[in-house]
Amino acid sequence: MSAPSFLSLLSSAQHIIITCHRGPDGDAIGSTTALASWIRRRYPASVHVIAPNIFPDFLKWVPGAEDILIYDKHEAEVRPIVEQADLVIMCDHGELRRMWTLGDVIRPLLPVGGGQPGAVRCIMIDHHLDPEPDIADLVISHPELSSTCEVLLRLLLEIDPPRGSLTHNEAVSLYTGMMTDTGAFTYASNRPEIYQLISILLSYGIDKDKIYRNIFFTYSQNRMKFMGYMLYVKLNVWKKAHTTIMTLTNAERRRFGILNGDTEGLVNMPLQILGTKLSIFLREDTENPCIRFSLRSVDDFPCNEMAAEFFNGGGHKNAAGGEFWGSMDDALELTKRAVQKYLPLLKE
Ligand code: 5GP
Ligand code: MN
């Protein structure tokens, strides 16, 4: 990987910020908290983790999550920290635009946005396809790996072989990201090395069963009943296309008392119907007048290509997302066109 350049950029930094994408998930929270803790133990620089917006409650227990600054909630306090940074480390995203307004503040600091060359350096640690060119001094991008936490763990192992000199808490954070980005090792996890990496993390005494429960067994009564409603009332099966569609409005969120993060995992469930190849979930955004898309598939169906072509988004082959600025009805029409276009692949 790129250990020497990584270490040299860290040595010359005084004020480091570590960022993740909007709508942080387990991989975003796991990689940023593990990296912040690791850097703080070795370097005198100040280190802040900054998320563009809030993250779900089921990630609050992750070690270090309590120190994460939320940009859109505390803009006045966080902005000076961003503007003071001389090193930005982007974790789990390869494009500045995935940070929304936080990305708008960071861009002009970098040479690509007109900033003085060399004044603010940037490292990208990620596993998404097509990293934005020219933003980072060092790009550590591995789309073939399960998660950003796996990319980071491999880097730390290269720096300190054979076990990476981690703390127990850093091992917990890294395991959390690898587990959540693979649906608890049910997809994107066929490479044998991933199990060697898990074995190293287990050697730090982490309780993987408890981490699983902390993430997945956290339903409120409301959430469980809401899931039932979505599956019983809102699930549409387009049989010929082996595709399922679910939609969620903000009125329904209010009706069921649905909190941020309560829709997590819902899009995966219809894939359990025998023969289903693609599951699409459309939901009204809670903060902006747009519709958020989540796509999940099995085997070779390319969710990321459909998301990029129709939903202004992207992601991975089996898990992608995007957005549509318009009404739910128009978003559904767009979805129909997308499925129609991909029908030959879906019908097989
Ligand atoms: P989710 O459905 O959980 O929101 O997103 C699944 C995956 O799709 C994410 O891990 C991310 O890789 C990708 N993704 C989601 N939304 C977007 C988007 O707006 N743009 C891009 N490029 N990728 C997205
Ligand atoms: Mn990820």
Side-chain angles (χ1 to χ4, degrees), residues 35-315:
L35 181 58
S37 162
W38 188 91
I39 296 174
R40 284 184 190 125
R41 289 192 292 117
R42 282 155 200 259
Y43 294 90
S46 69
V47 182
H48 291 95
V49 177
I50 305 177
N53 67 338
I54 50 168
F55 53 87
D57 284 350
F58 66 80
L59 292 171
K60 291 217 163 117
W61 62 273
V62 174
E66 66 280 5
D67 296 329
I68 296 177
L69 305 171
I70 308 295
Y71 183 74
D72 74 355
K73 246 189 173 175
H74 305 286
E75 193 181 331
E77 293 99 299
V78 182
R79 200 179 168 117
I81 297 173
V82 176
E83 287 169 345
Q84 191 192 27
D86 54 7
L87 177 62
V88 179
I89 309 182
M90 299 166 57
C91 284
D92 203 33
H93 61 304
E95 299 167 278
L96 289 171
R97 67 177 197 97
R98 288 206 63 203
M99 291 191 275
W100 289 41
T101 50
L102 175 58
D104 296 340
V105 178
I106 292 176
R107 185 178 291 278
L109 307 175
L110 302 175
V112 71
Q116 201 188 338
V120 179
R121 316 301 289 272
C122 179
I123 300 174
M124 182 194 297
I125 305 177
D126 187 35
H127 70 131
H128 292 93
L129 292 169
D130 306 321
E132 184 177 344
D134 306 325
I135 50 176
D137 298 86
L138 173 62
V139 177
I140 307 177
S141 168
H142 290 272
E144 77 282 9
L145 298 183
S146 66
S147 52
T148 298
C149 281
E150 182 181 350
V151 178
L152 177 58
L153 174 56
R154 285 167 179 261
L155 176 69
L156 302 183
L157 293 175
E158 188 186 323
I159 293 168
D160 274 322
R163 285 176 71 238
S165 304
L166 306 176
T167 63
H168 175 271
N169 280 350
E170 287 158 15
V172 168
S173 287
L174 291 171
Y175 183 82
T176 301
M178 287 167 63
M179 184 190 77
T180 51
D181 255 26
T182 56
F185 308 104
T186 59
Y187 48 79
S189 48
N190 274 335
R191 296 166 70 90
E193 300 84 10
I194 196 170
Y195 297 92
Q196 284 157 1
L197 298 172
I198 294 170
S199 151
I200 291 172
L201 294 177
L202 289 171
S203 77
Y204 285 96
I206 66 169
D207 184 344
K208 73 171 180 57
D209 304 347
K210 182 149 186 245
I211 294 174
Y212 182 91
R213 290 197 304 276
N214 281 347
I215 294 287
F216 294 111
F217 290 7
T218 56
Y219 280 37
S220 61
Q221 271 187 47
N222 276 356
R223 183 178 179 189
M224 190 58 96
K225 291 184 174 179
F226 163 73
M227 290 277 182
Y229 164 77
M230 290 300 289
L231 294 174
Y232 189 60
V233 178
K234 302 299 303 275
L235 178 67
N236 269 296
V237 181
W238 295 353
K239 243 184 168 166
K240 261 195 221 151
H242 301 115
T243 297
T244 65
I245 313 284
M246 278 188 287
T247 61
L248 174 65
T249 63
N250 283 330
E252 286 168 321
R253 274 186 219 268
R254 285 190 292 275
R255 177 175 156 204
F256 284 89
I258 284 309
L259 304 172
N260 214 295
D262 279 355
T263 57
E264 189 81 22
L266 187 58
V267 63
N268 296 304
M269 297 181 83
L271 292 178
Q272 294 179 39
I273 301 172
L274 184 65
T276 304
K277 288 189 176 163
L278 173 65
S279 165
I280 306 179
F281 179 34
L282 290 70
R283 58 197 180 280
E284 286 179 358
D285 193 280
T286 50
E287 292 158 48
N288 294 286
C290 70
I291 307 291
R292 293 280 322 158
F293 276 82
S294 282
L295 286 76
R296 297 291 186 276
S297 69
V298 295
D299 293 333
D300 283 335
F301 185 82
C303 289
N304 49 354
E305 287 175 23
M306 182 185 260
E309 190 175 343
F310 285 92
F311 310 130
N312 191 31

